[in-house]
Amino acid sequence: MLGAPGSGKGTQAELLAERLGIPAISTGEMLRAAVAAGSELGRRVEGVMASGDLVSDELIAEVVDARLAVPDAQGGFLLDGYPRTSPQADALDRILAKRETQLDHVIHLEVPQEELIGRALARQRADDEEDVVRERLRVYHEKTAPLIDRYADAGLLRRVDGHRSIDAIMKDLARLFGAA
Ligand code: AMP
């Protein structure tokens, strides 16, 4: 699930995963949980997350690789917020090849830029102060947006209009997976 910060991808990922009976694997949630738990991983990523930047590609690959080894992910999974850079997409290709599996769909939840800033500010999390929100959007456009073309070229990209009600979006997503 690809989408800018504030696109609603986390909400849709959870609903869709529930519908499909597979885990929604959100790297952002996993990192926030690590920070909250005060684990070694949490201490390593805390500062970078607070600044709105991305944690290192190597670290996130380890987190995802370990998560995909958990039994609940063996029948399928939905990745939310990963990959987020071209090196992460390369790493994901390797991780999936090792597991002899592949992506079925890459969903791009599309939301206009002005709507994104308003939504992200309204969320009012600690990391959602306005300059951090803008930094997260800048990082998204610089590092993550190029993945849209990559997955379009691979024939995997499904564009979904994210500027609608949660229910309307969910209906489209469910139809895409034959779960409507
Ligand atoms: P999210 O909730 O997906 O917006 O993620 C919150 C924060 O966690 C991001 O701003 C990054 O600092 C970090 N993060 C989450 N996923 C990734 C990823 N795939 N690569 C690097 N950093 C990530």
Side-chain angles (χ1 to χ4, degrees), residues 17-122:
E18 195 181 322
R19 178 80 70 100
L20 298 176
I22 58 176
I25 297 178
S26 160
T27 46
E29 283 299 326
M30 290 168 75
L31 296 177
R32 275 190 290 280
V35 171
S39 68
E40 195 206 323
L41 172 66
R43 286 195 298 275
R44 282 169 75 183
V45 301
E46 202 166 7
V48 177
M49 286 179 76
S51 74
D53 204 351
L54 298 177
V55 310
S56 83
D57 292 333
E58 293 73 20
L59 193 60
I60 209 82
E62 277 176 38
V63 169
V64 171
D65 196 26
R67 179 64 185 86
L68 291 181
V70 176
D72 71 342
Q74 305 319 302
F77 47 83
L78 198 159
L79 296 172
D80 164 22
Y82 177 88
R84 242 165 153 121
T85 66
S86 293
Q88 287 184 21
D90 294 338
L92 177 61
D93 285 346
R94 290 191 294 272
I95 290 170
L96 296 178
K98 185 176 78 175
R99 302 195 163 281
E100 297 183 345
T101 187
Q102 61 214 359
L103 298 174
D104 294 321
H105 304 288
V106 174
I107 297 155
H108 179 209
L109 201 55
E110 298 179 313
V111 176
Q113 172 88 7
E114 10 7 302
E115 173 76 13
L116 291 172
I117 295 183
R119 285 191 193 182
L121 288 174

